[in-house]
Amino acid sequence: MDLGVLLPSLIPSLQSVYVLVSYFVYLAVAGELLPGKVIRGVVLSDGSQLRYRCNGLFALTLLVAILGISAKLGIVSPLVVADRGLELLSATFIFCVLVTLVLYISGRSSSDKTSSLKPHVSGNLVHDWWFGIQLNPQFLSIDLKFFFVRAGMMGWLLINLSILAKSVQDDSLSQSMILYQIFCALYILDYFVHEEYMTSTWDIIAERLGFMLVFGDLLWIPFTFSIQGWWLLHNKVQLTVPAIVANCFVFLIGYMVFRGANKQKHIFKKNPKTPIWGKPPVVVGGKLLASGYWGIARHCNYLGDLMLALSFSLPCGISSPVPYFYPIYLLILLIWRERRDEVRCAEKYKEIWAEYLRLVPYRILPYVY
Ligand code: NDP
């Protein structure tokens, strides 16, 4: 790519800053005002529990409706994101740096003793800024961690919809683009239907809010998970019927494993006696589920997610590695994360975890890994 063209398009215009700020303001207001199920988070080390209002599906549907009507009335261009992708990316990056510097400064000066706000300062500025100082910092009573991940997931859908509008406008809408759009839209909508499950994930319960997480949520998720869409705007792919059918199967099986495993764990945490696949659950030490998907591999949910990621890239064919960025990245991330989670669980559950390892020897893919 020509650097003379690339560099100027990375400089955020006032309009891209306006788009970003309006988006965050909408999410903050909608998150506070729209009705939704209030979920108690996991019990933190000091016995406290945070509350999360899971109204993401409502907020997203309303936002898409508002944008759709505004586009019809000519108030907003549906191409605003697709035409300003790089600018929005750099504006988001600058925002991530600024907001995490503020988090670093406010975290350091906090004297709060609760588990969610207690500062963890190593003294190494880069380390503390990167990994964060507080577990669940808030701004105007908004839980920032929950807010940023929501913004990232919705942002991914909005980028995709703008790419879709661009391909319709360019008269280049293809089967591949339709498949990619449908799979991602179903995945994102499903995420918000099950938003409450998010409250017990590793990011929410164990990771402090620093640059790594803010950047991951706000920039990495929406801008890199949509690479396939950007790529399809400029590349033509001819898919055969068997390839389309196989692609749909990878998506459906991936979805079944991903959602099924996450659901089983969530239900088990709420009521450890709930039957799994119609049978009483196999439980290790009263705490760990060792049947259903959790009896096949210790992280079947990662396997399902990897299959889904692959299904988002397969519509692009195999002529280029570029659209496979997301599944390759996810493979590396989930292997790394699974290793860190194992260390955490081994420390937390001790001999119960050792017994679970004996019962379920595979990490992610049975008989392979
Ligand atoms: P998990 O949802 O697998 O949560 C891990 C935690 O679950 C452990 O720390 C432990 O916590 C508990 N646990 C582990 N094994 C058992 C068991 N057998 N029985 C009961 N509880 C158990 O991990 P993540 O939060 O990393 O992932 C959640 C989802 O998000 C996954 O589907 C993953 O694929 C997806 N994800 C997607 C990413 C993306 O970029 N697309 C990035 C990261 C995750 P406890 O101490 O509470 O018992």
Side-chain angles (χ1 to χ4, degrees), residues 187 200-203 205 225 258 262 265 268-269 287-289 294 298-299 301-302 305 326 329-330 333-334 337 341 344-345 348-349 353 356:
Y187 181 79
S200 61
T201 56
W202 161 276
D203 281 353
I205 62 180
F225 292 12
F258 166 78
N262 284 324
K265 188 185 75 173
F268 172 76
K269 294 274 180 197
K287 299 216 165 110
L288 294 170
L289 176 62
W294 298 86
R298 299 197 295 276
H299 265 106
N301 52 348
Y302 288 0
D305 214 356
Y326 175 46
Y329 142 78
L330 195 66
L333 174 95
L334 292 182
R337 184 185 275 246
D341 192 43
R344 179 180 172 275
C345 289
K348 180 173 172 182
Y349 292 112
W353 189 256
Y356 181 48

Side-chain angles (χ1 to χ4, degrees), residues 21-289:
V21 171
S22 316
Y23 179 52
F24 289 144
V25 170
Y26 168 81
L27 286 185
V29 174
E32 285 303 290
L33 297 185
L34 296 179
K37 200 165 155 191
V38 177
I39 296 293
R40 280 169 172 270
V42 295
V43 180
L44 299 176
S45 53
D46 62 358
S48 63
Q49 272 179 296
L50 298 175
R51 285 163 187 268
Y52 299 93
R53 187 179 301 173
C54 297
N55 55 7
L57 187 63
F58 195 171
L60 177 61
T61 320
L62 185 64
L63 178 59
V64 172
I66 293 171
L67 290 175
I69 294 167
S70 307
K72 205 87 195 131
L73 297 175
I75 301 168
V76 171
S77 163
L79 308 183
V80 68
V81 180
D83 284 343
R84 294 179 179 274
L86 288 176
E87 266 184 47
L88 281 165
L89 182 140
S90 53
T92 308
F93 179 77
I94 294 167
F95 177 82
C96 291
V97 173
L98 293 179
V99 84
T100 47
L101 285 176
V102 173
L103 283 173
Y104 172 81
I105 294 165
S106 64
R108 272 205 75 124
S109 52
S110 167
S111 54
D112 206 301
K113 296 277 181 286
T114 58
S115 297
S116 53
L117 294 174
K118 185 176 161 191
H120 297 263
V121 184
S122 74
N124 180 329
L125 187 149
V126 177
H127 177 277
D128 291 343
W129 166 74
W130 181 268
F131 287 105
I133 289 184
Q134 293 170 302
L135 188 61
N136 304 101
Q138 301 197 343
F139 176 69
L140 298 175
S141 81
I142 296 168
D143 183 290
L144 289 176
K145 211 194 263 183
F146 199 59
F147 178 86
F148 288 147
V149 70
R150 178 182 273 193
M153 291 300 287
M154 286 191 194
W156 179 16
L157 183 68
L158 296 181
I159 290 177
N160 278 356
L161 291 178
S162 191
I163 289 173
L164 179 66
K166 181 122 182 113
S167 74
V168 172
Q169 194 213 36
D170 295 352
D171 218 6
S172 65
L173 184 62
S174 60
Q175 281 175 337
S176 298
M177 179 65 91
I178 294 170
L179 276 185
Y180 165 74
Q181 291 283 346
I182 292 175
F183 293 155
C184 290
L186 288 174
Y187 181 79
I188 297 165
L189 288 175
D190 175 79
Y191 172 91
F192 285 108
V193 168
H194 298 96
E195 196 178 19
E196 68 176 274
Y197 295 178
M198 193 58 209
T199 61
S200 61
T201 56
W202 161 276
D203 281 353
I204 296 282
I205 62 180
E207 209 81 85
R208 292 197 285 273
L209 190 63
F211 183 78
M212 185 179 79
L213 212 55
V214 175
F215 175 85
D217 288 344
L218 289 184
L219 194 144
W220 194 260
I221 291 179
F223 289 96
T224 68
F225 292 12
S226 56
I227 284 177
Q228 301 91 315
W230 296 106
W231 188 86
L232 284 170
L233 271 181
H234 304 285
N235 296 275
K236 284 235 161 306
V237 181
Q238 206 56 48
L239 291 177
T240 61
V241 175
I244 294 174
V245 173
N247 198 166
C248 291
F249 266 109
V250 175
F251 174 81
L252 289 173
I253 295 169
Y255 176 76
M256 200 176 72
V257 176
F258 166 78
R259 184 47 66 215
N262 284 324
K263 200 168 187 168
Q264 283 178 353
K265 188 185 75 173
H266 189 77
I267 290 171
F268 172 76
K269 294 274 180 197
K270 288 203 152 175
N271 178 6
K273 292 203 171 103
T274 313
I276 299 288
W277 289 341
K279 292 189 193 144
V282 178
V283 183
V284 187
K287 299 216 165 110
L288 294 170
L289 176 62

